[in-house]
Amino acid sequence: MIALGCDHGGFSLMKEVIAYLDSKGYEYKNFGTYSEESCDYPDFAKKVANAVVSGECEKGILICGTGIGISITANKFKGIRCALCGDCFSAQATREHNDANILALGERVTGPGLAVKIVDTFLNTPFSNDERHIRRIEKIED
Ligand code: RB5
């Protein structure tokens, strides 16, 4: 199950991401926002972060205008490793090296075609399970 959240600045890109998830048969829970009305990105980062930390969802996708505010907020939650990605190399590396559990995107930064490829890369790249990366993640948690 994938937790989804965005603010008004990410609402239209989230529709593209949802269309991609539907086309691939992914299960997701959409925590909103549900319109282009102005709202506060921390509210949605919190809902998605809590869903991932609790185990209700295994991964999350967060979108705001830049991806910055929503990723900063998500990373305040213990156990969350949220990576703001604007390219597929970073999306692959953050899964393999950081075991990132939330992907953040910026609608005003990354076009929908690339964004969907970033989502695909993020969801389909496993953690390396490499000892050195496990050690570094444990240090993040400490
Ligand atoms: C909203 O205007 C915008 O500030 C927000 O979507 C995000 O870019 C914040 O980091």
Side-chain angles (χ1 to χ4, degrees):
M1 183 69 74
I2 301 161
L4 305 179
C6 66
D7 72 352
H8 56 289
F11 178 70
S12 128
L13 180 57
M14 185 58 86
K15 284 196 275 188
E16 305 269 354
V17 169
I18 287 172
Y20 161 79
L21 296 174
D22 284 339
S23 76
K24 297 290 182 185
Y26 283 103
E27 291 197 317
Y28 55 84
K29 184 164 181 186
N30 187 356
F31 289 90
T33 189
Y34 305 111
S35 79
E36 280 173 3
E37 192 179 327
S38 183
C39 61
D40 299 335
Y41 58 80
D43 298 338
F44 304 96
K46 180 180 180 180
K47 288 173 199 275
V48 167
N50 281 333
V52 172
V53 168
S54 72
E56 179 187 0
C57 295
E58 83 189 50
K59 289 197 182 88
I61 299 172
L62 288 169
I63 311 177
C64 67
T66 58
I68 296 172
I70 212 155
S71 59
I72 289 173
T73 313
N75 279 314
K76 298 286 181 189
F77 292 78
K78 188 163 174 58
I80 292 301
R81 292 177 300 281
C82 177
L84 170 56
C85 296
D87 62 88
C88 294
F89 179 87
S90 299
Q92 181 178 335
T94 198
R95 287 290 310 126
E96 290 175 345
H97 294 208
N98 316 123
D99 198 14
N101 47 19
I102 298 182
L103 169 68
L105 296 165
E107 178 184 310
R108 298 171 188 162
V109 183
T110 306
L114 175 57
V116 162
K117 283 202 177 292
I118 291 169
V119 168
D120 183 75
T121 303
F122 183 81
L123 295 179
N124 290 295
T125 304
F127 177 51
S128 65
N129 254 313
D130 188 289
E131 183 274 327
R132 71 187 193 283
H133 293 312
I134 293 171
R135 182 181 68 243
R136 290 163 189 164
I137 290 167
E138 283 171 355
K139 288 188 178 185
I140 295 174
E141 296 306 314
D142 282 352

